[in-house]
Amino acid sequence: MIARRTMAANIKKTKTFFKYTENQLTQAISDIRNNICSIRQAERPYNVPHSTLINKLKGKTPEKRKMGPPTVLTQEEEELLVRWICACANKGFPLNKRLLCETVKDLIESDNRPNPFKDGLPGFKWFNAFLKRHPELSQRHAESINTARACVSENFIRQWHEDIRKYLINENAVDILEDPTRIFNSDESGFATNPKTGLVLGPKGLKNFYEIKSGSEKECITALFTISADGQIYPPMIVYPYERIPAEIVRNTNPDWIIGKTYFT
């Protein structure tokens, strides 16, 4: 009984000792080939069995071996997909899961490639595995902006301020810039009445993650806020998407606020 327990403990200890990662194996082989250490010296620091190192160095087994069944797409094809996803996200047109899976379906159907997918369309299992194989990608919610806002840059803003200064000089009104009570900043925020959000794909670390949309935005209520340079906050303006504003809204709105409506053409 004691002997069996001792043997089980030794087996468990041996399995734990030989648990290594792909990076540990690669580094061990590199150190051996560069004469930094011998095979015996590389076993314990990197937790790689002696026989594994021998087989890798003699070419009996490939240095890098993927576990599990082969992927439907080749490594080159998946890397091309990753570059395409990153390029689309950087240009303001990020891809979602549906579009990516449909693209993969077109790829495998173009050459009648055998696949385990139902109707040739990859599902959640393939999609999640794809993200695990490419940790540089992530799913995020994109902020929708129009094309005009997407073209705004720091140089554009600086040039706009310079043009304003030149205009005020020509109008003999440059003193406005020295009076904070005469400098105002207004900004608007839209609140969708029926928002629909979805995850899209893009590279990790991308600071500004936008989705450029053409045409009109979704129906929303717009709030316009104005603040002067001396810190005064002025009554907001609420713009409703109605041709005629309902009386109930007027009665329940702060009387100091301004109510507007969207004009339909």
Side-chain angles (χ1 to χ4, degrees):
M1 184 68 177
I2 296 177
R4 288 200 302 270
R5 290 179 179 177
T6 304
M7 180 63 70
N10 290 336
I11 292 175
K12 183 177 181 181
K13 182 178 179 181
T14 302
K15 289 183 178 179
T16 303
F17 174 76
F18 288 134
K19 184 181 296 184
Y20 60 90
T21 64
E22 183 178 343
N23 291 335
Q24 287 176 312
L25 175 61
T26 302
Q27 189 61 46
I29 294 175
S30 176
D31 290 350
I32 296 170
R33 286 177 174 170
N34 293 327
N35 297 322
I36 297 177
C37 61
S38 64
I39 296 178
R40 290 292 182 186
Q41 292 172 337
E43 293 176 17
R44 187 172 295 274
Y46 296 108
N47 292 336
V48 183
H50 181 82
S51 58
T52 300
L53 291 174
I54 291 293
N55 292 334
K56 300 294 183 182
L57 291 169
K58 291 185 177 181
K60 293 182 179 180
T61 58
E63 293 186 13
K64 294 185 178 180
R65 176 182 294 178
K66 291 185 177 180
M67 304 301 293
T71 57
V72 176
L73 299 180
T74 64
Q75 182 177 354
E76 292 76 14
E77 289 173 333
E78 289 202 351
E79 290 177 353
L80 184 61
L81 277 178
V82 171
R83 292 198 298 269
W84 178 51
I85 291 171
C86 294
C88 290
N90 288 323
K91 294 179 180 179
F93 300 94
L95 307 177
N96 54 26
K97 171 186 172 295
R98 179 186 59 80
L99 183 57
L100 174 62
C101 291
E102 289 179 353
T103 301
V104 174
K105 179 181 179 181
D106 293 339
L107 287 174
I108 61 180
E109 286 184 350
S110 62
D111 55 0
N112 295 322
R113 189 178 312 181
N115 63 88
F117 309 135
K118 182 179 180 181
D119 299 326
L121 182 66
F124 282 101
K125 186 176 180 180
W126 177 89
F127 180 75
N128 293 332
F130 178 79
L131 292 182
K132 289 182 179 179
R133 290 193 296 270
H134 303 282
E136 66 271 25
L137 298 177
S138 66
Q139 277 190 299
R140 297 163 59 185
H141 289 280
E143 177 184 353
S144 299
I145 61 174
N146 55 34
T147 306
R149 287 183 59 192
C151 295
V152 176
S153 63
E154 179 181 352
N155 292 334
F156 180 87
I157 295 175
R158 290 184 180 277
Q159 184 61 47
W160 183 86
H161 281 280
E162 184 61 27
D163 293 340
I164 290 295
R165 177 178 290 275
K166 291 179 180 179
Y167 172 79
L168 293 176
I169 291 175
N170 293 335
E171 297 293 327
N172 295 322
V174 72
D175 57 303
I176 292 177
L177 300 178
E178 306 300 330
D179 187 356
T181 63
R182 303 172 67 186
I183 301 176
F184 303 91
N185 181 53
S186 295
D187 196 8
E188 62 181 23
S189 294
F191 302 90
T193 57
N194 186 24
K196 293 182 180 179
T197 59
L199 293 171
V200 291
L201 295 169
K204 287 184 177 179
L206 183 61
K207 185 177 180 180
N208 297 320
F209 205 51
Y210 298 125
E211 181 179 5
I212 302 174
K213 295 185 176 181
S214 60
S216 60
E217 300 276 338
K218 297 176 182 178
E219 184 181 85
C220 64
I221 298 173
T222 303
L224 178 66
F225 302 93
T226 302
I227 302 176
S228 63
D230 65 340
Q232 294 294 322
I233 302 177
Y234 292 84
M237 178 178 183
I238 312 298
V239 181
Y240 294 95
Y242 300 120
E243 293 187 24
R244 298 183 62 183
I245 300 178
E248 188 68 20
I249 292 180
V250 177
R251 286 195 298 267
N252 289 279
T253 302
N254 189 317
D256 294 331
W257 293 7
I258 302 171
I259 301 178
K261 61 181 180 180
T262 301
Y263 288 92
F264 293 90
T265 58

